[in-house]
Amino acid sequence: MTENISHAASSGIGQVITRFGADFLIETEAGERLRCTARRKLDHLACSDHVQWERQAQGNAAVTAMLPRRNVLERPDFRGKLRPIAANIDLLIVVASWQPAPVWETLDRYLIAANRLHADVLLVMNKMDLRQTHATAEAEACLAEYVRIGCPILHVAADQQQGIGDILSAIQRRTAIVVGQSGVGKSSIAAQLLPDTDIRVGTISDTGEGRHTTTSATLYRLPAGGALIDSPGVRDFGLTGLDFATLESGFPEFRPFLGGCRFNNCTHNHEPGCAIKAAVNAGQLPPKRFARYLSLLSTV
Ligand SMILES: Nc1nc2c(ncn2[C@@H]2O[C@H](COP(=O)(O)OP(=O)(O)OP(=O)(O)O)[C@@H](O)[C@H]2O)c(=O)[nH]1
Ligand SMILES: [Mg+2]
Ligand SMILES: [Zn+2]
């Protein structure tokens, strides 16, 4: 009966590769690509979701159900409404560069998001070729704090094919997503990892805006196994609905000190006897990250 599992199957299970407006590109278990329309109640489907699909007598096939997902990365759209970007993520590759300069608070927000997703995180500093000319002392000090807290970091230059193999090794056949500001080189990295795939790369204009900017998250299968999701860049990655517990656990360097505050509901802000604050003052915790923690705290 295995012959029946062929391109002619009329329904089955598949995975969302990307989205075009209201339609989705699905890869079936047989490896066929199908353009599908989704029922309205499935508007929250995202790249990398597993779904049930069904051919229709007329027109596009239809996505009829979403299978359970392990996690989903969401971001607010231009109206501030939370939108799912991609699901079932094992590794969040947070890409930053020296031009455009890193926005450290965005990085912190992605670290919090990774923790919330139970995904691993890899910080990739791209455009290594611009480090000497563009890195400020302040930026180097901020970066050093991530080294200090044990965040895995790779320095690469996608345009010069430097360090790309290290990214591939870090993915280890898992599902990884590249995220970060527009123009940092996410698509350039994806293009280097997938030399046989046509991935459009932006050209930086005077405004720093990419002209071939990525508009929709897309999943690519890596030749050695695993998958890479290229995602559109964001100027500001807000974590809407951030609650205190999520924020606190998104700062893993706090963990060794957490039991030591005088109040067990300490927010590590103004409270007396705060072990986190004491550790910052004693040089045991990185101060710039702590300052950004306080500014994020004011948003919860
Ligand atoms: N100097 C230098 N430029 C690079 C490097 N990697 C990528 N770029 C350039 O950075 C620009 C933006 O690259 P993209 O890969 O489109 O950036 P992106 O992060 O995908 O941007 P969005 O899709 O808008 O989010 C392009 O002009 C690339 O050629 C690098 O290692 N060094
Ligand atoms: Mg892109
Ligand atoms: Zn405290």
mmCIF file of all heavy atoms in Angstrom, residues 139-151 153 253 285-290 292:
data_model
loop_
_atom_site.group_PDB
_atom_site.id
_atom_site.type_symbol
_atom_site.label_atom_id
_atom_site.label_comp_id
_atom_site.label_asym_id
_atom_site.label_seq_id
_atom_site.Cartn_x
_atom_site.Cartn_y
_atom_site.Cartn_z
ATOM 1 N N ALA A 139 30.125 49.678 22.663
ATOM 2 C CA ALA A 139 29.571 48.461 22.060
ATOM 3 C C ALA A 139 30.407 47.245 22.462
ATOM 4 O O ALA A 139 29.857 46.186 22.776
ATOM 5 C CB ALA A 139 29.518 48.593 20.536
ATOM 6 N N GLU A 140 31.709 47.380 22.467
ATOM 7 C CA GLU A 140 32.571 46.258 22.870
ATOM 8 C C GLU A 140 32.309 45.883 24.335
ATOM 9 O O GLU A 140 32.301 44.707 24.684
ATOM 10 C CB GLU A 140 34.055 46.606 22.667
ATOM 11 C CG GLU A 140 34.482 46.705 21.204
ATOM 12 C CD GLU A 140 34.576 45.348 20.473
ATOM 13 O OE1 GLU A 140 34.267 44.309 21.096
ATOM 14 O OE2 GLU A 140 34.946 45.347 19.286
ATOM 15 N N ALA A 141 32.075 46.906 25.170
ATOM 16 C CA ALA A 141 31.797 46.631 26.583
ATOM 17 C C ALA A 141 30.469 45.895 26.740
ATOM 18 O O ALA A 141 30.334 44.985 27.559
ATOM 19 C CB ALA A 141 31.793 47.934 27.378
ATOM 20 N N CYS A 142 29.481 46.297 25.940
ATOM 21 C CA CYS A 142 28.175 45.612 25.988
ATOM 22 C C CYS A 142 28.337 44.167 25.541
ATOM 23 O O CYS A 142 27.812 43.250 26.164
ATOM 24 C CB CYS A 142 27.160 46.322 25.086
ATOM 25 S SG CYS A 142 26.573 47.871 25.779
ATOM 26 N N LEU A 143 29.078 43.973 24.462
ATOM 27 C CA LEU A 143 29.260 42.616 23.938
ATOM 28 C C LEU A 143 29.988 41.740 24.960
ATOM 29 O O LEU A 143 29.632 40.566 25.151
ATOM 30 C CB LEU A 143 30.041 42.674 22.619
ATOM 31 C CG LEU A 143 30.230 41.325 21.930
ATOM 32 C CD1 LEU A 143 28.889 40.730 21.518
ATOM 33 C CD2 LEU A 143 31.127 41.476 20.703
ATOM 34 N N ALA A 144 30.981 42.332 25.617
ATOM 35 C CA ALA A 144 31.770 41.570 26.598
ATOM 36 C C ALA A 144 30.878 41.021 27.717
ATOM 37 O O ALA A 144 31.165 39.961 28.279
ATOM 38 C CB ALA A 144 32.877 42.454 27.171
ATOM 39 N N GLU A 145 29.797 41.747 28.017
ATOM 40 C CA GLU A 145 28.896 41.262 29.061
ATOM 41 C C GLU A 145 28.201 39.962 28.661
ATOM 42 O O GLU A 145 27.920 39.125 29.508
ATOM 43 C CB GLU A 145 27.837 42.321 29.403
ATOM 44 C CG GLU A 145 28.420 43.501 30.153
ATOM 45 C CD GLU A 145 27.334 44.361 30.814
ATOM 46 O OE1 GLU A 145 26.137 44.223 30.446
ATOM 47 O OE2 GLU A 145 27.686 45.163 31.684
ATOM 48 N N TYR A 146 27.910 39.808 27.366
ATOM 49 C CA TYR A 146 27.269 38.556 26.924
ATOM 50 C C TYR A 146 28.254 37.393 27.007
ATOM 51 O O TYR A 146 27.876 36.270 27.319
ATOM 52 C CB TYR A 146 26.711 38.686 25.498
ATOM 53 C CG TYR A 146 25.562 39.659 25.441
ATOM 54 C CD1 TYR A 146 25.774 41.003 25.168
ATOM 55 C CD2 TYR A 146 24.272 39.234 25.702
ATOM 56 C CE1 TYR A 146 24.728 41.903 25.147
ATOM 57 C CE2 TYR A 146 23.210 40.120 25.693
ATOM 58 C CZ TYR A 146 23.450 41.460 25.416
ATOM 59 O OH TYR A 146 22.412 42.353 25.410
ATOM 60 N N VAL A 147 29.523 37.690 26.729
ATOM 61 C CA VAL A 147 30.563 36.664 26.880
ATOM 62 C C VAL A 147 30.596 36.244 28.348
ATOM 63 O O VAL A 147 30.602 35.062 28.682
ATOM 64 C CB VAL A 147 31.950 37.221 26.451
ATOM 65 C CG1 VAL A 147 33.030 36.156 26.644
ATOM 66 C CG2 VAL A 147 31.910 37.708 25.001
ATOM 67 N N ARG A 148 30.559 37.251 29.207
ATOM 68 C CA ARG A 148 30.660 37.015 30.637
ATOM 69 C C ARG A 148 29.519 36.169 31.192
ATOM 70 O O ARG A 148 29.730 35.333 32.071
ATOM 71 C CB ARG A 148 30.675 38.391 31.321
ATOM 72 C CG ARG A 148 31.091 38.326 32.746
ATOM 73 C CD ARG A 148 31.170 39.716 33.325
ATOM 74 N NE ARG A 148 30.945 39.640 34.749
ATOM 75 C CZ ARG A 148 30.721 40.667 35.525
ATOM 76 N NH1 ARG A 148 30.687 41.894 35.018
ATOM 77 N NH2 ARG A 148 30.533 40.503 36.805
ATOM 78 N N ILE A 149 28.327 36.351 30.677
ATOM 79 C CA ILE A 149 27.203 35.557 31.192
ATOM 80 C C ILE A 149 27.115 34.190 30.511
ATOM 81 O O ILE A 149 26.186 33.426 30.744
ATOM 82 C CB ILE A 149 25.841 36.291 31.083
ATOM 83 C CG1 ILE A 149 25.452 36.530 29.618
ATOM 84 C CG2 ILE A 149 25.863 37.593 31.873
ATOM 85 C CD1 ILE A 149 23.996 36.952 29.438
ATOM 86 N N GLY A 150 28.056 33.906 29.628
ATOM 87 C CA GLY A 150 28.117 32.573 29.036
ATOM 88 C C GLY A 150 27.240 32.379 27.812
ATOM 89 O O GLY A 150 26.970 31.252 27.408
ATOM 90 N N CYS A 151 26.810 33.496 27.211
ATOM 91 C CA CYS A 151 26.005 33.392 25.990
ATOM 92 C C CYS A 151 26.924 32.951 24.842
ATOM 93 O O CYS A 151 27.963 33.556 24.619
ATOM 94 C CB CYS A 151 25.384 34.768 25.703
ATOM 95 S SG CYS A 151 24.437 34.844 24.202
ATOM 96 N N ILE A 153 28.641 32.909 21.468
ATOM 97 C CA ILE A 153 28.782 33.973 20.466
ATOM 98 C C ILE A 153 29.719 33.526 19.347
ATOM 99 O O ILE A 153 30.768 32.941 19.609
ATOM 100 C CB ILE A 153 29.373 35.258 21.102
ATOM 101 C CG1 ILE A 153 28.485 35.732 22.243
ATOM 102 C CG2 ILE A 153 29.535 36.374 20.061
ATOM 103 C CD1 ILE A 153 29.009 36.927 22.994
ATOM 104 N N GLU A 253 21.840 35.148 34.316
ATOM 105 C CA GLU A 253 22.963 35.450 35.215
ATOM 106 C C GLU A 253 22.485 35.778 36.634
ATOM 107 O O GLU A 253 23.268 35.746 37.588
ATOM 108 C CB GLU A 253 23.835 36.581 34.652
ATOM 109 C CG GLU A 253 23.202 37.979 34.632
ATOM 110 C CD GLU A 253 22.502 38.316 33.320
ATOM 111 O OE1 GLU A 253 21.864 37.415 32.720
ATOM 112 O OE2 GLU A 253 22.574 39.493 32.908
ATOM 113 N N LEU A 285 27.857 40.976 38.861
ATOM 114 C CA LEU A 285 26.894 40.872 37.759
ATOM 115 C C LEU A 285 27.140 42.040 36.799
ATOM 116 O O LEU A 285 27.485 43.140 37.229
ATOM 117 C CB LEU A 285 25.449 40.935 38.288
ATOM 118 C CG LEU A 285 24.853 39.650 38.866
ATOM 119 C CD1 LEU A 285 23.469 39.916 39.451
ATOM 120 C CD2 LEU A 285 24.783 38.550 37.810
ATOM 121 N N PRO A 286 26.930 41.814 35.493
ATOM 122 C CA PRO A 286 27.221 42.857 34.503
ATOM 123 C C PRO A 286 26.261 44.046 34.615
ATOM 124 O O PRO A 286 25.044 43.880 34.533
ATOM 125 C CB PRO A 286 27.081 42.139 33.158
ATOM 126 C CG PRO A 286 26.372 40.876 33.424
ATOM 127 C CD PRO A 286 26.535 40.529 34.869
ATOM 128 N N PRO A 287 26.787 45.240 34.798
ATOM 129 C CA PRO A 287 25.959 46.422 35.075
ATOM 130 C C PRO A 287 25.107 46.913 33.910
ATOM 131 O O PRO A 287 24.000 47.418 34.123
ATOM 132 C CB PRO A 287 26.980 47.497 35.468
ATOM 133 C CG PRO A 287 28.276 47.046 34.877
ATOM 134 C CD PRO A 287 28.231 45.541 34.870
ATOM 135 N N LYS A 288 25.595 46.782 32.696
ATOM 136 C CA LYS A 288 24.811 47.303 31.563
ATOM 137 C C LYS A 288 23.561 46.448 31.332
ATOM 138 O O LYS A 288 22.491 46.965 31.043
ATOM 139 C CB LYS A 288 25.673 47.354 30.288
ATOM 140 C CG LYS A 288 26.814 48.353 30.386
ATOM 141 C CD LYS A 288 27.732 48.231 29.208
ATOM 142 C CE LYS A 288 29.016 48.991 29.434
ATOM 143 N NZ LYS A 288 28.749 50.448 29.564
ATOM 144 N N ARG A 289 23.733 45.153 31.453
ATOM 145 C CA ARG A 289 22.566 44.268 31.343
ATOM 146 C C ARG A 289 21.578 44.599 32.454
ATOM 147 O O ARG A 289 20.377 44.638 32.237
ATOM 148 C CB ARG A 289 23.006 42.795 31.462
ATOM 149 C CG ARG A 289 23.622 42.233 30.205
ATOM 150 C CD ARG A 289 22.665 41.381 29.407
ATOM 151 N NE ARG A 289 22.172 40.227 30.116
ATOM 152 C CZ ARG A 289 21.164 39.470 29.674
ATOM 153 N NH1 ARG A 289 20.553 39.783 28.537
ATOM 154 N NH2 ARG A 289 20.762 38.427 30.358
ATOM 155 N N PHE A 290 22.097 44.843 33.674
ATOM 156 C CA PHE A 290 21.198 45.147 34.789
ATOM 157 C C PHE A 290 20.428 46.442 34.533
ATOM 158 O O PHE A 290 19.219 46.523 34.797
ATOM 159 C CB PHE A 290 21.974 45.234 36.108
ATOM 160 C CG PHE A 290 21.076 45.498 37.280
ATOM 161 C CD1 PHE A 290 20.133 44.558 37.680
ATOM 162 C CD2 PHE A 290 21.147 46.700 37.980
ATOM 163 C CE1 PHE A 290 19.276 44.805 38.752
ATOM 164 C CE2 PHE A 290 20.299 46.959 39.051
ATOM 165 C CZ PHE A 290 19.364 46.006 39.438
ATOM 166 N N ARG A 292 19.548 47.622 31.695
ATOM 167 C CA ARG A 292 18.491 47.338 30.708
ATOM 168 C C ARG A 292 17.379 46.498 31.337
ATOM 169 O O ARG A 292 16.218 46.637 30.971
ATOM 170 C CB ARG A 292 19.086 46.675 29.463
ATOM 171 C CG ARG A 292 19.980 47.631 28.650
ATOM 172 C CD ARG A 292 20.300 47.061 27.286
ATOM 173 N NE ARG A 292 20.983 45.794 27.366
ATOM 174 C CZ ARG A 292 22.310 45.635 27.413
ATOM 175 N NH1 ARG A 292 23.104 46.691 27.374
ATOM 176 N NH2 ARG A 292 22.839 44.444 27.509
#
